[in-house]
Amino acid sequence: GERCHELGIPSLWVGQDIHPSSPRRSEAGLRRIPPEEVAKTDEPGEAKGESTLAETGQTKVLRTLPVGFHGEFIAIKDHRQEFNIQGTLAVYHNLQIPLLGRHQIMNACMAVGIIEALTQIGFSLDLDAIKEGLKDVRWPGRFEVIRENPFIILDSAHNPGSCRVLAETIKELFPHKKVTLILAVSSDKDVKGICQALEPVCDDVIFTKADHPRAFDFSKLDRKEFFENKKYVIKENIRDALKTALK
């Protein structure tokens, strides 16, 4: 975005290719610009797409750089994942990241893929910097272990897709463990979808709400519709919910 422009880095799209007519282009954050500013390309295969974009004036595509990568999980040590990445330009051995969940290895692969893509336009590839950067990354609220014995995990998953990933991570890291879910959701979210995604991995549920005007009020909901055969209580705030869970 704008920060990349300040640093002299061109706009890049790393991931699945998106057809010019697809509404997913707006989801990818590609901005609207006047037709006369649409970048030209010398690639024959892209000429038609650029022409269409110029006519509609919807999107600017500066350049597409191919990347390839594959992550290989090794182990978890002290709340850190150790893994290898097979990139396009190099193999990165024994990387570590202080984020849990296999999806975070995929995110790390994407980050390395972007770095490799930048080398195709003149940037250098520093293996030590990649290793240290991943090792020092911080992402609060993403399966964040804030206490042990018992484990308290903080996660900000806020849609059904991310909640399904959260559920998969819980099943992988805490198999056969009793799980008490403290759930607070914003009223503009897919409450039903979130509950359905988390239902399979929790034993007890404590419904609560954040101190925010958009907080969803679970007292107005038929909880059994989403957590059938689960024990549940409702607490006014997160502090009381946490106290109840730790009893």
Side-chain angles (χ1 to χ4, degrees):
E2 294 181 0
R3 181 55 178 161
C4 289
H5 178 71
E6 293 173 6
L7 297 174
I9 301 174
S11 298
L12 299 176
W13 167 254
V14 181
Q16 292 181 326
D17 187 31
I18 302 178
H19 190 273
S21 63
S22 171
R24 290 185 57 204
R25 279 191 176 273
S26 60
E27 297 174 11
L30 299 177
R31 62 189 180 89
R32 302 173 67 87
I33 62 164
E36 61 271 15
E37 292 184 22
V38 175
K40 303 301 180 181
T41 176
D42 295 329
E43 296 295 332
E46 296 181 356
K48 183 177 180 180
E50 289 294 347
S51 175
T52 302
L53 293 174
E55 292 174 4
T56 62
Q58 290 182 343
T59 309
K60 181 178 182 180
V61 180
L62 293 182
R63 191 172 182 184
T64 301
L65 299 177
V67 296
F69 38 75
H70 172 71
E72 178 189 16
F73 172 79
I74 298 176
I76 295 177
K77 301 177 182 178
D78 300 324
H79 308 316
R80 290 177 174 269
Q81 294 191 95
E82 186 174 348
F83 57 98
N84 300 326
I85 291 180
Q86 172 67 61
T88 301
L89 304 180
V91 179
Y92 309 85
H93 292 290
N94 303 114
L95 301 173
Q96 293 185 11
I97 191 169
L99 300 172
L100 299 176
R102 299 297 178 93
H103 59 291
Q104 298 294 2
I105 295 179
M106 295 173 59
N107 288 337
C109 288
M110 184 67 74
V112 171
I114 292 173
I115 293 172
E116 289 193 337
L118 289 173
T119 66
Q120 300 179 46
I121 52 176
F123 287 79
S124 61
L125 180 68
D126 189 325
L127 298 179
D128 290 335
I130 290 174
K131 180 172 289 190
E132 289 302 311
L134 291 173
K135 186 177 180 180
D136 293 339
V137 70
R138 295 291 181 269
W139 199 350
R142 291 295 183 180
F143 212 86
E144 181 182 2
V145 180
I146 60 176
R147 174 175 165 173
E148 298 184 35
N149 195 29
F151 275 97
I152 298 177
I153 310 296
L154 178 64
D155 197 280
S156 59
H158 58 276
N159 56 55
S162 60
C163 286
R164 283 191 290 270
V165 173
L166 170 60
E168 293 170 1
T169 303
I170 292 173
K171 287 191 292 185
E172 179 186 4
L173 299 182
F174 298 97
H176 314 301
K177 297 291 185 180
K178 179 181 178 180
V179 176
T180 298
L181 172 66
I182 299 176
L183 183 62
V185 184
S186 294
S187 58
D188 59 345
K189 301 301 180 182
D190 182 357
V191 178
K192 182 176 180 179
I194 288 172
C195 292
Q196 290 175 334
L198 295 174
E199 191 274 339
V201 295
C202 65
D203 299 282
D204 303 325
V205 184
I206 301 175
F207 296 103
T208 187
K209 60 182 181 179
D211 183 16
H212 193 278
R214 289 195 293 113
F216 183 79
D217 186 355
F218 278 101
S219 66
K220 300 178 180 179
L221 183 72
D222 182 5
R223 279 78 62 191
K224 291 183 179 180
E225 180 182 356
F226 308 129
F227 291 96
E228 187 176 1
N229 300 322
K230 305 287 185 181
K231 295 188 297 182
Y232 66 86
V233 296
I234 299 177
K235 292 298 176 179
E236 183 65 25
N237 55 65
I238 293 176
R239 182 183 296 273
D240 290 343
L242 186 56
K243 288 181 179 179
T244 300
L246 292 175
K247 287 182 179 179

